[in-house]
Amino acid sequence: MVQAERLQGLMREVDEAGFLSHGHFAFRSGRHSLRLLDRDQLLCDTQLASKMGYAIARHFFLSRIDIVAAPSVWGAGLAQWVGFFLDPRRPVIYPIPDNGHYRFPESSKAMIDGKRVLVIDNLILSGKTAQELVQTITANGGTPIGIGALADLSGVDFPISVHGLLNEYLGIHSPGDCPACKDGVPLTEVGY
């Protein structure tokens, strides 16, 4: 109950800061949302970004995470906060895109082998990026423990724990279950 109240308070802060738009939004993944999060502006606000990082770290705190990995520059700042709140010395690593796949620099490969890895990104859109990174972690001897993001817009059923922190507050639905569709609210296509 306390955690839900904290998250509601955090969402009020995000809304009051102007980082939420209300309406009916469609993402490339096919999922719909009743609220659109301005993830770029949110993650530029260090106070709110740190609170988001704390909330995600709290969710995975008992998972014994050794390393945090972020697949994109957009998730890098959030990954730093999550790593910090798990343990201020927690390493955060980043793969290198390579012909539609990922690879880790040699220095990171040694860090992953035999370690429990948490994947953090700002948003999970189609799920492809997260799936690719999970495969790369596994190929390098790491054990992917979970995936955390501000929101999971993919609708993908991942084989590991996924935590879309704000999913409940963004009103994410498949088109067939979307209340805005049923009410005939005009749809705005989102570019991601």
Side-chain angles (χ1 to χ4, degrees):
M1 185 68 161
V2 172
Q3 178 66 13
E5 289 173 9
R6 284 184 186 152
L7 201 49
Q8 286 175 346
L10 183 55
M11 284 308 296
R12 266 192 309 278
E13 286 184 61
V14 170
D15 200 7
E16 288 169 2
F19 301 151
L20 270 182
S21 298
H22 300 265
H24 184 198
F25 306 96
F27 300 97
R28 284 192 321 219
S29 66
R31 308 275 284 173
H32 289 194
S33 177
L34 305 180
R35 291 173 200 85
L36 181 64
L37 179 68
D38 186 338
R39 64 194 178 173
D40 298 328
Q41 289 299 313
L42 171 65
L43 293 174
C44 286
D45 182 316
T46 55
Q47 181 182 13
L48 285 174
S50 70
K51 289 179 179 183
M52 297 293 173
Y54 176 79
I56 293 171
R58 183 179 168 111
H59 179 82
F60 288 102
F61 191 75
L62 297 177
S63 299
R64 299 184 343 245
I65 304 299
D66 297 313
I67 294 178
V68 175
S72 69
V73 68
W74 299 281
L78 184 60
Q80 290 287 332
W81 284 116
V82 171
F84 177 81
F85 287 118
L86 287 170
D87 177 337
R89 295 177 309 255
R90 182 75 56 232
V92 179
I93 59 173
Y94 309 96
I96 300 167
D98 187 14
N99 293 323
H101 299 287
Y102 289 109
R103 66 177 176 81
F104 285 106
E106 290 302 316
S107 59
S108 296
K109 284 183 185 180
M111 293 173 71
I112 293 172
D113 192 27
K115 302 295 186 196
R116 297 169 61 86
V117 183
L118 175 62
V119 173
I120 297 293
D121 207 354
N122 64 345
L123 296 176
I124 303 168
L125 300 173
S126 69
K128 184 179 180 213
T129 300
Q131 290 171 325
E132 286 279 340
L133 185 53
V134 164
Q135 291 170 0
T136 303
I137 291 165
T138 302
N140 284 277
T143 303
I145 299 303
I147 303 168
L150 295 175
D152 174 8
L153 308 172
S154 71
V156 172
D157 186 19
F158 291 93
I160 58 176
S161 172
V162 177
H163 180 58
L165 179 66
L166 306 178
N167 275 28
E168 180 182 331
Y169 298 95
L170 296 178
I172 298 170
H173 305 277
S174 62
D177 298 329
C178 179
C181 285
K182 291 176 183 170
D183 291 342
V185 176
L187 188 64
T188 302
E189 297 285 335
V190 178
Y192 53 86

